[in-house]
Amino acid sequence: MNIADRYRRFMIHLVRACCRGRWIVVAAAVAFTIVSAWFVATNLAVNSETEDMLDPALPFRQQAKDLRAAFPELSRTLLVVVEGETPELVEQAAGRLAEAMSRDTVFDTVFYPAADPFFRRHGLLYRDVETLEDTVDRLTEAQPFLGPLWQDPSLRGLSDLLGMMARNPERLTDDAAAQLNDILTRMAAVAEARAGDDPTAVLSWRGVLGGGGAAAGEAATGVEVDAQPPVATAPVRRIIVAQPEIDYTGLAPGATAIRTLERLTDRLDLAAEYGVEVHRTGPVALAYDELQSVRTGMGLSGLISLVLVAVLLWFGVKSVRMVISALLTLVMGLIWTTAVGLFVVGALNLISVAFAVLFIGLSVDFGIHFSLRYKEGRDHGRTHAQALDEAAGDVGDSLTLSAIAAAIGFFAFLPTSYVGLAELGLISGMGMGIALLANLTVLPALISIMHPRRIRLPRGPSARLVRTLENHPKTIVGAAAGLALVAAVLAPFVSFDFDPLNLKDPEAPSVQALDDLMDAGDLNFYAAQILAEDQAAAEDLAERLRTLETVQEANTIAASVPTEQEDKLYLVDEAALVLGAAFAAERRPQPEGTALEQAVADLRRTLDQLAEGAVDRPQTVEAARRLQAVLGQLPPEEAEAALMRTLPKVLDDLNMALEAQPVALEDLPPAVTTRWLSQTGRARVEVVPAVDVHDRSALADFVGEVRSVAPEVTGPPVTILEAGRTVLWSLFEAMAISAAATVVLLLLVLRSVRGIVYVFAPLGLATLMTAAVSVVIGLPLNFANVIVLPLLFGLGVASAIHIVQRARATGRASELLHTSTPRAVVYSTLTTIGSFASLALSDHAGTASMGILLTVAVGLTLLCTLVVLPALMAVAPLRRRWDVNIGE
């Protein structure tokens, strides 16, 4: 008796023992399940740090680690984007939110540039000379208005100012008249919007007075706005940079910071008070949203997978009791695998969380094969015990080989540098062993406790399919060869999507906010970073990098110091000389109640007088009449809020900006310097690419050129390029390991070169066709779905082994189609497809692509295994395998 026969006899005795001690086996399984569930509940953790999915010993990861150590502010960052239509209200809302965040212990640091005193005072120096000249010209033209409005920035002050103009029309110059027309037109438009369908409309005095803003806070964030229409249509954004405390090993890293931000936003009622929206992005928010999409997708996929498995089980075995037995075995095995996986790896990652769906899809295969072989025996008149013996002896070895083959596909990633997939492979590979053990012990025990009373084995394959396979095997083989040729032509066009942003949910708030910032030019996600020894070395590097064709900008902290200061300070001093006297007077208190009502009434009379006295200025007449009419439709408080709310802040900002002084490197605030100079004196260089980073060859050129000057360059471009190379190499390495290990396994088991060829032929065809389909449907490989190809070896071999082993037992390939094996292969594969297809419903793009590609691959494997493989074996049958005498 050879080793294979001895192993089949061992399987029979194992199943017999479990059936005799069925209650003990089930009780022990339930007890272990309870302990495992407790362990999972108390130890479940998910590491959402995407970089940790690659080997930390890789050189580019070491360089990224050095940068994070020198500048931790760059990695643990939450960007809060406050967006609205009126710059002044956006800044006020962002200022209140930043202040509230600063007082909360969740945030270590909070930096809001527009509210920083340094930028408020020196912001005008950050504009180019031409823009600053235009701003000073407009302010000079507005000088006649500024004095009275500084003293009384209300409708009362506006009424007094317009009254003076109405009484002395001869003093109104052409430039002043043009300014007046602009102001009145803007006011009329805003008031009409306020009285109409926009109850939150507010006039931006910054646009009125500065044509792009004299306020330094706007310049601080690099936003330059030209003269705005009365009601702005383009959103204005202000960014708050925060560093919250983050625990990346928790179930929801960043959740505390995100929820605190939402709570503060609701408490301040920023939407109603300032008409703004608050968005979030940056590494913290991106990681949080990605984990949420993965968790939601996995939960939905797991539920759908279980439902589909239950339905397919029913159609496969047509016995409620056996369906319950198989599902209970499946759930127990899943809980055991989760506990063992957590015990071994400590925490799941964004890829390894998919193990649950993979386990459901693969583990149930074992249950289906065992159950259907048991039912086949019962259908042929065997007793319950005899049918279990036949099932154990006939499919026990095949199930073992299938489990080993699937485990090989999973374990193939262990020697690679792709830690994320290696952990998924480790957990799932161990899960195959657990699934085999459960289905050879717990499942027979459960079937023995509640074995079906009535057997209804459904019909096998159609007679037409059987006749086709028997009569035209060479035609089928020829057609398969033709398909292989076409697929081989398309396979080289398979692409690899190396951008990790494309794996995230495009509808996630953080992703949408990031896209908006990048589209507006407020953030460059793909800038490279270089860590220099000191500031002098950083300046030397930046100077050399600017000469490269692929580099658009190379910045150091020196870029934070305004250029052409002499010319700009001259312009600021000129504006201060003209406007300084206007800001010397004390302000009057704001009118309220009856005083405000009287101010509105006076303003309406003044507008009438202004219109009557400006008959030679039709634009002034029209604007005055419009504003006078609409003021009669608004309550005084509404009119004051719509027209004058932003003026006090704009005048305060302008007054402060006129105090600008020369700025040197040492004058920059700490919030800026700590982002460019480390505590140890090292300096950072930021390199912006001048190429399309979504083009892999262009990205490689950019990284290559920068490395020729600074080999230690790091940042997203380097990470994306090197991570892609690492993953692709890991893919080829895993495929080679999987193929070699599978060949060794088949040699040991089949001891036939022809048998190995037959197992690999449908598998190779399915692999080529999967690659071709990915090209046709435009689904590239990515960091998540690359596991499909090496895993396909394990999954495809499993089905082929069942067919080959049963064909050897029956003696003819066509005869196996009349057995339960093809049906078991069909339904086990369908449950696998149903389980994997549920992954495609995930919001996480990487997980969804994994589900789609797995579904395609497994479906094609089923087609090739059930059609091509029997045809091959019909052309040249394998040597018959002698059955074990189960009665011994």
Side-chain angles (χ1 to χ4, degrees), residues 510-594:
S510 59
V511 176
Q512 292 185 336
L514 181 64
D515 289 340
D516 290 341
L517 290 178
M518 289 195 294
D519 291 342
D522 295 334
L523 182 68
N524 196 316
F525 179 80
Y526 297 99
Q529 309 291 334
I530 301 171
L531 193 59
E533 289 301 319
D534 51 37
Q535 180 57 24
E539 292 299 334
D540 178 65
L541 278 175
E543 189 65 29
R544 287 188 286 156
L545 288 166
R546 294 186 187 108
T547 64
L548 301 179
E549 292 184 2
T550 58
V551 172
Q552 178 179 325
E553 297 176 12
N555 297 320
T556 67
I557 191 173
S560 300
V561 178
T563 59
E564 302 179 282
Q565 291 192 47
E566 185 176 348
D567 294 337
K568 296 174 183 177
L569 286 169
Y570 174 80
L571 292 170
V572 173
D573 291 342
E574 180 183 328
L577 181 64
V578 175
L579 303 174
F583 296 144
E586 293 186 4
R587 282 182 175 171
R588 298 175 61 184
Q590 292 285 334
E592 298 178 353
T594 56

Side-chain angles (χ1 to χ4, degrees), residues 322 370-378 384 387-388 391 451-452:
M322 295 191 70
F370 189 91
S371 299
L372 283 180
R373 185 62 185 88
Y374 163 79
K375 291 194 67 176
E376 181 183 342
R378 293 296 306 277
H384 166 70
L388 282 176
H451 58 83

Side-chain angles (χ1 to χ4, degrees), residues 26 190 309 418 471 845:
V26 171
V190 170
V309 164
Y418 197 175
N471 300 330

Side-chain angles (χ1 to χ4, degrees), residues 54 60 496 498 718-728 783:
L54 297 173
F60 77 93
F496 183 82
F498 54 89
V718 178
T719 299
I720 290 171
L721 183 66
E722 294 298 339
R725 290 172 176 171
T726 300
V727 170
L728 284 177
F783 292 104

